[in-house]
Amino acid sequence: MTIASVESSLFSPFSLGSLDLPNRLVMAPMTRNRASADGVPLPLMATYYAQRAAAGLIIAEASTPNAVGQTYPNITAIYNDAHVAGWRQVTDAVRAAGGRMFLQLQHGGRVGHPDTSGLSPVAPSAVPLPDSIYTPDGHQTAVVPRAMTVQEIHATVADFAVAARNAIDAGFAGVEVHAANGYLLHQFLAGNTNQRTDAYGGSVGNRIRFVLEIVEAVADAIGAERVGIRIAPGLTINGIEEGDTDTIYPALLGALAGKGLAYLHVVFADPDQPLFHTIRAAWPGTLIANPSLPWPGPLPADGGKCAAERLLDAGADLISLGRAFLANPDLVSRLRIGASLNPIRDAYLMYVGGATGYIDYPTLTDEPTRQSHPRHRPHSRATAT
Ligand SMILES: Cc1cc2nc3c(=O)[nH]c(=O)nc-3n(C[C@H](O)[C@H](O)[C@H](O)COP(=O)(O)O)c2cc1C
């Protein structure tokens, strides 16, 4: 009798709305700071994403829907024609290579600096980021953001809707609303950053209002089946203290569950935590889980495959991986055959630089001599996004 090897369900196909994904592996959104100073994606980015087109789905990096939402230098934007044209080159290259892409929409809120965007950052309340922030002149003390007026809140909701339409014009299959990792939407959800006393602050029902309005506006603009949302329950990155994680997310998901969205994407999902199972039970649609791997690295030798399979067993539909995709353009093939993975060569180059540390990670078929090792490490930027 022969024992047939059973292939991991990570490599089984999945239907995400009208998209046929060839596998369950999603490339997580990763800000790589390779756009022009005014947010236009550069040709290098088309090469980078096309190299990773074997992912079931690529969620392209956080892109700002307006100027004041810019977080860091050289991040991508999606609010004018030049941004659309730049992204169009990227989506064309990925489609030609057989891939599928969503674009993440992110407003930084208090995670921004006048030296980067030229504007004073805005936030739910005038509560500054406790950390320093990376700017064109290196790390600087964060400035106190200005509390948004209700008019500004409405204008920002409208900006997200326009940005979503732009993303579709640029060739994306959909967008992911970034409500995670301590940026503007997360700042509205969390008690320590949202100290408003109007309809957008105070009670849980009020604090979820801004996120709901954005999701609804974006869904009205491009169709709910083309809209995903990313959340990070309990994550304290960027100085966030939600205060009532166990109340706020069930309320948020309860309000979103019937809207027919493309997916819910959960950062640092842990099947050993009750919250993961609460979320799975509360969400009737597609669930993308981003495993909780050591942060900062190094990554486990299997690149997170074991953690991914545990999450699929616990009810996730798709698995997103970040750093393993960053360092391994052919990650899907490597995980499928159990090949060893490239480690991340230089943490600094994750966030800053040109082609080096970006499009030069070798595939299994490349010659080992093509691996280059940067000699100069200016300084590290420990800001995760
Ligand atoms: C270089 C880098 C940039 C990132 N940028 C983003 C981003 O733009 N949006 C976001 O939601 N998460 C961002 N993240 C977080 C990743 O999407 C992911 O959640 C994180 O890397 C954990 O997954 P991993 O352990 O597979 O790397 C970034 C992570 C890295 C390493």
Side-chain angles (χ1 to χ4, degrees):
M1 190 177 78
T2 54
I3 300 172
S5 73
V6 179
E7 196 177 54
S8 165
S9 50
L10 267 178
F11 308 108
S12 62
F14 186 80
S15 294
L16 182 70
S18 61
L19 291 181
D20 293 325
L21 313 190
N23 58 66
R24 308 292 181 107
L25 284 159
V26 174
M27 179 173 161
M30 281 180 290
T31 296
R32 302 300 311 277
N33 308 75
R34 260 79 172 180
S36 72
D38 48 4
V40 178
L42 299 177
L44 202 58
M45 293 177 53
T47 306
Y48 165 75
Y49 281 112
Q51 286 173 339
R52 288 154 179 80
L57 178 71
I58 294 172
I59 304 171
E61 63 207 78
S63 299
T64 186
N66 58 26
V68 73
Q70 182 175 1
T71 47
Y72 311 113
N74 301 96
I75 68 150
T76 48
I78 184 70
Y79 59 84
N80 67 30
D81 291 346
H83 303 143
V84 172
W87 275 121
R88 167 62 73 178
Q89 291 181 21
V90 177
T91 62
D92 281 349
V94 168
R95 196 172 301 106
R100 297 138 297 275
M101 283 183 108
F102 269 48
L103 178 66
Q104 187 182 58
L105 303 182
Q106 167 192 272
H107 188 305
R110 69 178 187 164
V111 186
H113 195 281
D115 288 358
T116 305
S117 66
L119 298 165
S120 289
V122 294
S125 305
V127 181
L129 188 69
D131 316 313
S132 63
I133 182 164
Y134 191 71
T135 74
D137 299 320
H139 282 277
Q140 295 197 49
T141 306
V143 298
V144 179
R146 193 167 48 72
M148 293 166 82
T149 64
V150 170
Q151 265 178 334
E152 282 174 319
I153 289 177
H154 294 163
T156 305
V157 170
D159 287 344
F160 269 83
V162 172
R165 259 184 242 115
N166 287 344
I168 300 301
D169 289 348
F172 288 97
V175 300
E176 176 175 283
V177 172
H178 194 354
N181 298 3
Y183 297 102
L184 182 65
L185 277 67
H186 206 175
Q187 291 159 29
F188 268 87
L189 295 178
N192 72 326
T193 42
N194 184 345
Q195 299 178 358
R196 301 179 74 92
T197 53
D198 62 7
Y200 292 92
S203 67
V204 162
N206 282 354
R207 274 154 48 208
I208 65 176
R209 189 182 310 281
F210 182 58
V211 176
L212 293 180
E213 287 183 359
I214 286 179
V215 171
E216 279 162 14
V218 168
D220 283 349
I222 64 171
E225 71 288 354
R226 297 202 281 196
V227 182
I229 179 167
R230 191 172 215 215
I231 58 170
L235 196 64
T236 56
I237 192 169
N238 282 321
I240 285 289
E241 296 290 345
E242 289 160 349
D244 42 17
T245 304
D246 291 336
T247 319
I248 204 147
Y249 287 97
L252 180 67
L253 299 187
L256 292 174
K259 296 194 182 298
L261 298 182
Y263 63 77
L264 172 70
H265 188 179
V266 180
V267 179
F268 293 146
D270 182 351
D272 292 333
Q273 296 298 322
L275 187 60
F276 176 78
H277 300 279
T278 306
I279 289 172
R280 177 64 285 187
W283 188 252
T286 297
L287 179 64
I288 307 180
N290 177 220
S292 184
L293 303 178
W295 182 279
L299 291 173
D302 74 350
K305 186 178 179 192
C306 228
E309 285 169 342
R310 287 191 62 227
L311 279 164
L312 287 180
D313 289 345
D317 301 294
L318 299 168
I319 302 299
S320 73
L321 294 175
R323 292 162 294 166
F325 265 114
L326 185 158
N328 296 274
D330 56 348
L331 181 68
V332 176
S333 306
R334 287 178 191 254
L335 294 186
R336 194 191 287 267
I337 64 173
S340 63
L341 300 185
N342 299 320
I344 289 165
R345 290 202 308 268
D346 186 319
Y348 176 74
L349 294 173
M350 289 206 292
Y351 299 102
V352 178
T356 305
Y358 190 53
I359 58 166
D360 57 352
Y361 278 101
T363 64
L364 287 171
T365 51
D366 289 331
E367 300 197 5
T369 50
R370 285 190 55 199
Q371 298 189 37
S372 61
H373 295 272
R375 280 166 298 170
H376 176 56
R377 298 177 184 215
H379 60 273
S380 70
R381 187 194 135 194
T383 310
T385 78

